Amino acid sequence: MFNLKLLLCAAIALQVYPAMANVDPTSPFGKGSAKQVANLEDKLILESIIHGEGIHTAVINGKILKPLDTIGQYRLVAVNNDSVVLRSETERLKLYVFKASVLKNN
């Protein structure tokens, strides 16, 4: 009986462990699972806009970009006070600081 319980616990641990391998133990509670974090990588998030003397940069998904730099299929074409404009061959995106929504114009 004891061996059966031990075998059952081992089988359950083998099923659960791969799913837990992607979880960061230092992340705050309620921040979401590894799948949710992976989905965020697919989105373009404007994190910051920096205006310097003649230099305008934007931080999108942790990447520092200046006009005409690319991220994925998009090229940064404008850096405004609270937004940036990105263009691909087929669409135009406008990202806003502190907003999760994206404006698409074809």
Side-chain angles (χ1 to χ4, degrees):
M1 186 67 159
F2 177 73
N3 289 338
L4 182 60
K5 288 181 182 178
L6 183 62
L7 183 61
L8 184 60
C9 288
I12 291 172
L14 288 174
Q15 293 293 324
V16 173
Y17 179 72
M20 293 181 65
N22 294 329
V23 176
D24 181 6
T26 62
S27 66
F29 291 114
K31 283 301 261 183
S33 67
K35 285 184 180 180
Q36 290 172 333
V37 173
N39 289 340
L40 283 178
E41 292 174 359
D42 297 337
K43 296 180 183 179
L44 294 174
I45 299 172
L46 177 59
E47 298 169 354
S48 179
I49 295 173
I50 304 159
H51 291 290
E53 290 184 31
I55 301 171
H56 305 290
T57 57
V59 180
I60 301 174
N61 292 10
K63 185 176 178 183
I64 300 172
L65 302 168
K66 59 185 183 303
L68 304 181
D69 286 347
T70 59
I71 184 164
Q73 66 182 11
Y74 298 99
R75 179 175 306 276
L76 179 64
V77 294
V79 180
N80 304 314
N81 288 336
D82 64 347
S83 65
V84 296
V85 177
L86 301 164
R87 284 193 186 265
S88 72
E89 290 183 11
T90 58
E91 65 184 340
R92 176 184 180 268
L93 300 178
K94 191 168 189 178
L95 304 178
Y96 292 91
V97 177
F98 303 121
K99 288 191 180 179
S101 62
V102 175
L103 228 53
K104 288 187 179 184
N105 294 332
N106 292 335

